[in-house]
């Protein structure tokens, strides 16, 4: 199998793969920021005292978690134009990824916020801190510690999920593999290289995650 | 508005195709679920028992499956295996890729569950003169299942959702039926709303089961 592996072609297509990797990186980064915003908003809604808001946020989270990302991508890709929004493919893709990951992040953040014990918040209330002060100085610093590792795990999922955007003709890493397959009919060269580059991103994010966790334990020990 | 009703009527006419697609989704994910569970348990038990020869292989397998997108894995099975002389139909390729994908995650869940059992249990079972099979069957696995079960059901939900990806290699599941339908009924929100609804009907109960199991088993273990 390996003797048939054509490294020359890889060399020819290297710039394409690097552009694909770069596209995957920035699309994931932008979607990650979007997902955090969506996640914090949805979590805030879920935990709010207004039943209407809480129920809406809950319905959104459950709907996203019970349906596949690919169906969500197609929903926006084919659905937005009928509503009169003609977005470029990559914007639709980033929107879909943010909305999808946001729901999972909302749950992660909620678990973090709920892990802060009731007594802490009551103590904050007793000191006469406002809602924002309680959040800023009591709840979030403690919640953040335990949410960062699962959030990084979700970031890894997000990078892998961004591969699905190639199906609505967004140019990124998987698309580069598809291009080499259709132009030269060399799927092995195309998709193994693609897989290898994804593995690189995966290990980098994992290393960052474990470094962060170690640092966190160290900080908590002080 | 009348156009919208017209399309809705046509969508209702196409509904039997969606049900066929749903059946395909259930079939392909059900088959891979069974095979993936067998593979995952075998791999997970091997990993937890530290079989040396398999150690590195399992490590490479699990990391590859977890580190690359499922779409790329599907393409590898569907486009590269034929180059090596192994021709698979779309359905078989889908089942193979879903099985190996789910197997890797289930391997992690199972080996995690086994290592969560206190080592004293294994030592006590050894001291009682039980064979390896007996130790696993009567001592380790019944306890490990408590940690394994909730994420396992969660993994099944992920499997069903990820099975939508195999629509791209030509398996006529719900997602592919939706993709075909939207070419004729240009109401993306309606068509993929229906697709989403059908997935929801299958996945949501499973998510509830997973949550309920987690709650139940957590309160159970407090009694231990």
């Amino acid at each position: 199998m390996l003797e048939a592996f054509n490294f020359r072609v890889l060399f020819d297509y290297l710039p394409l793969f690097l552009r694909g990797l770069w596209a995957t990186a920035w699309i994931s980064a932008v979607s990650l920021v979007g997902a955090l915003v969506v996640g914090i908003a949805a979590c805030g809604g879920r935990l709010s005292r207004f039943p209407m808001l809480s129920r809406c946020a809950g319905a959104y989270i459950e709907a996203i978690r019970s349906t596949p990302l690919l169906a969500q991508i197609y929903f926006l890709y084919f659905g937005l134009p009928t509503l009169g929004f003609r977005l470029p493919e990559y914007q639709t893709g980033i929107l879909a990824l943010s909305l999808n990951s946001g729901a999972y992040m909302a749950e992660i953040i909620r678990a973090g916020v709920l892990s802060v014990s009731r007594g802490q918040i009551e103590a904050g209330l007793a000191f006469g801190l406002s809602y924002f002060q309680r959040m800023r100085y009591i709840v979030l610093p403690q919640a953040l510690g335990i949410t960062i590792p699962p959030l990084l795990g979700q970031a890894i999922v997000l990078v892998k999920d961004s591969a699905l955007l190639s199906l609505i003709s967004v140019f990124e890493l998987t698309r580069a593999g598809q291009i080499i397959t259709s132009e030269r009919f060399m799927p092995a060269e195309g998709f193994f290289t693609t897989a290898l580059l994804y593995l690189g991103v995966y290990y980098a994010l994992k290393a960052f995650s474990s470094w962060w966790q170690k640092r966190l334990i160290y900080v908590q020990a002080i | 508005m009348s156009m919208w009703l017209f399309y809705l009527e046509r969508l209702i006419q196409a509904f039997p195709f969606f049900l066929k697609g749903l059946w395909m989704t259930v079939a392909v994910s059900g088959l891979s679920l069974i095979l993936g569970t067998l593979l995952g348990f075998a791999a997970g038990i091997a990993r937890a028992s530290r079989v040396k020869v398999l150690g590195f292989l399992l490590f490479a397998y699990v990391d590859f499956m977890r580190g690359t997108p499922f779409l790329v894995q599907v393409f590898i099975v569907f486009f590269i295996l034929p180059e090596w002389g192994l021709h698979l139909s779309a359905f078989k390729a889908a089942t193979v890729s879903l099985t190996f994908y789910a197997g890797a995650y289930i391997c992690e869940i199972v080996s995690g569950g086994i290592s969560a059992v206190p080592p004293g249990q294994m030592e006590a079972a050894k001291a009682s003169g039980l064979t390896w099979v007996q130790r696993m069957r009567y001592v380790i696995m019944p306890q490990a299942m408590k940690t394994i079960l909730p994420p396992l059901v969660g993994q099944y939900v992920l499997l069903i959702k990820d099975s939508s990806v195999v629509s791209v290699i030509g398996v006529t599941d719900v997602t592919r039926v939706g993709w075909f339908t939207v070419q004729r009924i240009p109401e993306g929100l309606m068509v993929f709303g229906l697709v989403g609804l059908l997935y929801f009907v299958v996945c949501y109960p499973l998510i509830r089961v997973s949550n309920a199991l987690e709650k139940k088993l957590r309160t159970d273990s407090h009694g231990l």
Side-chain angles (χ1 to χ4, degrees):
Chain A
M1 58 190 242
L2 257 185
E3 59 267 30
F5 205 89
N6 191 337
F7 287 98
R8 243 190 80 102
V9 171
L10 279 193
F11 197 71
D12 290 345
Y13 277 86
L14 193 64
L16 186 80
F17 278 117
L18 290 181
R19 271 200 298 134
L21 186 63
W22 170 241
T24 289
W26 79 258
I27 288 172
S28 306
V30 173
S31 307
L32 189 65
V33 175
L36 272 175
V37 173
V38 171
I40 290 169
C43 173
R46 189 84 175 79
L47 293 174
S48 102
R49 278 165 299 165
F50 306 106
M52 242 338 250
L53 200 59
S54 171
R55 212 163 297 159
C56 281
Y60 161 70
I61 292 168
E62 295 300 338
I64 293 283
R65 277 158 46 103
S66 312
T67 53
L69 173 62
L70 186 57
Q72 292 158 15
I73 291 174
Y74 284 155
F75 182 78
L76 294 178
Y77 181 67
F78 292 111
L80 285 182
T82 61
L83 292 178
F85 297 105
R86 297 207 168 270
L87 298 177
E89 288 89 353
Y90 71 92
Q91 285 183 15
T92 309
I94 288 171
L95 184 65
L97 279 179
S98 306
L99 289 176
N100 176 272
S101 258
Y104 291 92
M105 288 191 175
E107 289 291 281
I108 294 170
I109 298 167
R110 189 167 77 107
V113 171
L114 289 181
S115 76
V116 178
S117 71
R118 205 57 226 154
Q120 301 256 346
I121 296 163
E122 279 159 13
L125 274 170
F127 273 110
L129 298 183
S130 73
Y131 175 78
F132 281 103
Q133 283 173 325
R134 288 199 307 272
M135 274 292 165
R136 166 73 186 77
Y137 295 106
I138 298 174
V139 178
L140 286 183
Q142 298 185 68
L144 220 58
I146 57 160
T147 46
I148 294 285
L151 281 181
L152 280 170
Q154 184 58 37
I156 291 175
V157 172
L158 177 63
V159 172
K160 290 192 290 167
D161 278 347
S162 73
L164 288 182
L165 299 193
S166 65
L167 299 175
I168 55 167
S169 58
V170 171
F171 176 76
E172 42 71 77
L173 193 46
T174 309
R175 191 85 190 149
Q178 289 169 8
I179 288 172
I180 201 173
T181 304
S182 55
E183 281 183 2
R184 296 286 184 95
F185 208 68
M186 289 178 169
E189 284 79 353
F191 291 125
F192 276 131
T193 313
T194 302
L196 212 66
L197 289 171
Y198 274 113
L199 269 180
V201 177
Y202 170 70
Y203 281 124
L205 283 175
K206 242 177 97 167
F208 179 68
S209 176
S210 57
W211 171 78
W212 186 283
Q213 247 163 318
K214 255 183 221 148
R215 200 178 142 247
L216 211 69
I217 292 163
Y218 177 70
V219 169
Q220 278 166 354
I222 296 172
Chain B
M1 195 62 202
S2 63
M3 218 40 201
W4 191 82
L5 277 176
F6 170 71
Y7 285 133
L8 186 65
E9 208 184 316
R10 286 188 56 186
L11 189 64
I12 291 168
Q13 282 170 2
F15 190 66
F17 295 107
F18 281 87
L19 284 184
K20 266 191 183 168
L22 185 65
W23 168 241
M24 183 54 104
T25 292
V26 170
V28 78
S29 39
L31 190 58
S32 330
L33 186 149
I34 295 167
L35 296 174
T37 305
L38 292 176
L39 176 67
F41 267 83
I45 290 172
R47 191 172 202 182
S49 346
R50 305 193 191 285
V51 182
K52 286 226 172 67
V53 204
L54 281 176
F56 177 74
L57 276 177
L58 281 177
F59 180 77
Y61 159 63
V62 171
D63 262 25
F64 184 82
M65 293 324 237
R66 288 167 60 105
T68 56
F70 179 55
L71 180 64
V72 174
Q73 295 165 17
V74 172
F75 283 150
I76 286 177
V77 170
F78 193 63
F79 290 115
I80 302 181
L81 288 189
E83 293 230 318
W84 299 344
L86 192 61
H87 292 268
L88 296 175
S89 68
F91 183 82
K92 279 183 190 154
T95 311
V96 167
S97 43
L98 273 173
T99 297
F100 279 95
Y101 176 68
Y105 284 89
I106 294 174
C107 169
E108 285 280 288
I109 293 170
V110 170
S111 70
I114 291 175
S115 36
V117 177
Q121 297 279 336
M122 193 63 167
E123 285 156 16
K126 262 186 200 165
S128 313
L130 299 181
T131 65
W132 184 81
V133 175
Q134 285 173 327
R135 293 200 298 266
M136 275 295 166
R137 167 75 186 78
Y138 296 108
V139 181
I140 304 298
M141 286 320 272
Q143 298 183 66
M145 281 319 272
K146 279 188 181 171
T147 14
I148 292 173
L149 222 45
L152 187 65
V153 177
Q155 191 58 45
Y156 291 159
V157 177
L158 284 182
L159 174 65
I160 294 167
K161 288 193 287 175
D162 283 329
S163 78
S164 65
V165 172
V166 301
S167 65
V168 303
I169 56 168
V171 176
T172 321
D173 69 342
V174 191
T175 307
R176 190 157 171 86
V177 170
W179 190 85
F180 276 133
T181 309
V182 86
Q183 321 285 333
R184 290 182 299 125
I185 305 174
E187 279 287 343
L189 294 182
M190 217 155 73
V191 172
F192 281 98
L194 178 60
V195 170
L197 190 71
L198 290 172
Y199 277 107
F200 185 86
V201 168
V202 180
C203 293
Y204 188 65
L206 276 176
I207 291 180
R208 293 303 286 261
V209 168
S210 173
N211 289 347
L213 273 176
E214 199 166 350
K215 243 182 219 148
K216 186 177 177 301
L217 295 178
R218 199 190 295 150
T219 46
D220 273 5
S221 60
H222 282 308
L224 270 176

